């Protein structure tokens, strides 16, 4: 329950079962994945080698929040990665570049106070790196027929891009900049961009919601 008493987990690939029933939120605790939560359970994980770390709560019985942090004090943690629903069925998946011998604080929480039984699984792919998204596309509210541009900034070798609207790939949208001409109701939705490096490892940005501005009536 408490950050200072977090349980150590290890191994290249493993899983653990638990519950967040009766767990609590601490005074200086961040909001994981930027969402309200109140029943967090903490673990400590220290990889033995560099690689791509994947943590997921697939198979859990409630709407999970999942996050990884660096740091040893609850009030000054640095977020490494976080997620709410990418695991499907309201479960979470996150991936990040793990550095050998660095201790990461892994936390499982429930969205808006949800509790239940969870499964936390993890694996490390040694010797590979993910691209790093340094600036994700932002939410926008635009006028009808207005031109709008979304952009992403990322670091890595040999990067390629693919934009999606509501989970469907947009033909030809394969650059760091996405131009949307004469915005229409059909253009409303969640925009994400997948970024892949030359080794074929990639990740997808969080959704940027692009919506129509309300029409002012005299």
């Amino acid at each position: 329950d408490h950050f200072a008493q977090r349980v150590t987990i290890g191994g290249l690939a493993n899983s653990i079962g638990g519950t967040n029933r009766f767990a609590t939120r601490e005074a200086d605790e961040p909001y994981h994945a930027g969402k309200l939560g109140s029943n967090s359970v903490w673990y400590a994980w220290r990889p033995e080698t560099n690689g791509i770390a994947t943590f997921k709560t697939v198979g859990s019985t409630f709407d999970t929040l999942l996050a990884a942090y660096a740091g040893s004090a609850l009030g000054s943690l640095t977020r490494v990665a976080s997620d709410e629903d990418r695991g499907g069925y309201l479960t979470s998946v996150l991936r990040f570049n793990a550095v050998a011998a660095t201790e990461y604080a892994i936390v499982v929480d429930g969205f808006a106070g949800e509790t239940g039984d969870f499964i936390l699984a993890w694996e490390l792919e040694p010797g590979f790196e993910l691209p790093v998204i340094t600036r994700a596309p932002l939410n926008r509210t635009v006028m009808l027929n207005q031109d709008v541009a979304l952009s992403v900034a990322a670091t890595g070798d040999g990067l390629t891009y693919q934009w999606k609207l509501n989970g469907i790939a947009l033909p030809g949208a394969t650059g760091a900049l996405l131009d949307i001409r004469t915005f229409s109701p059909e253009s409303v939705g969640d925009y994400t961009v997948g970024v892949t490096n030359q080794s074929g490892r990639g990740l997808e940005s969080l959704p940027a919601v692009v919506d129509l501005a309300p029409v002012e009536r005299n």
Side-chain angles (χ1 to χ4, degrees), residues 67-90:
Y69 298 93
S72 57
L74 184 61
S76 58
L77 294 176
T78 299
R79 184 181 65 83
V80 177
S82 63
D83 183 57
E84 182 185 3
D85 289 337
R86 290 189 174 183
Y89 299 99
L90 304 180

Side-chain angles (χ1 to χ4, degrees), residues 12-177:
L12 287 178
N14 212 332
S15 63
I16 191 171
T19 180
N20 72 333
R21 296 185 182 93
F22 311 113
T24 59
R25 175 179 171 80
E26 297 178 77
D28 293 328
E29 186 171 339
Y31 286 105
H32 314 301
K35 307 290 184 178
L36 293 175
S38 57
N39 304 83
S40 55
V41 177
W42 292 89
Y43 294 93
W45 179 71
R46 188 189 300 267
E48 296 181 359
T49 186
N50 294 352
I52 299 174
T54 301
F55 282 81
K56 54 188 176 182
T57 61
V58 175
S60 301
T61 64
F62 61 98
D63 188 351
T64 60
L65 304 175
L66 180 63
Y69 298 93
S72 57
L74 184 61
S76 58
L77 294 176
T78 299
R79 184 181 65 83
V80 177
S82 63
D83 183 57
E84 182 185 3
D85 289 337
R86 290 189 174 183
Y89 299 99
L90 304 180
T91 65
S92 311
V93 175
L94 60 79
R95 304 171 73 208
F96 61 91
N97 292 322
V99 178
T102 300
E103 182 175 295
Y104 297 94
I106 310 297
V107 59
V108 179
D109 202 349
F111 173 65
E114 288 205 20
T115 61
D117 299 322
F118 64 81
I119 296 173
L120 177 65
W122 64 94
E123 61 181 332
L124 180 70
E125 186 180 13
F128 289 95
E129 288 188 356
L130 292 168
V132 176
I133 294 176
T134 57
R135 188 185 71 248
L138 301 176
N139 296 341
R140 299 288 299 274
T141 300
V142 299
M143 301 297 294
L144 185 65
N145 295 324
Q146 178 184 348
D147 293 342
V148 61
L150 301 178
S151 64
V152 63
T155 59
D157 296 326
L159 298 181
T160 59
Y161 306 88
Q162 177 61 64
W163 290 85
K164 296 180 180 179
L165 171 57
N166 297 326
I168 299 173
L170 295 170
T174 55
L177 180 68

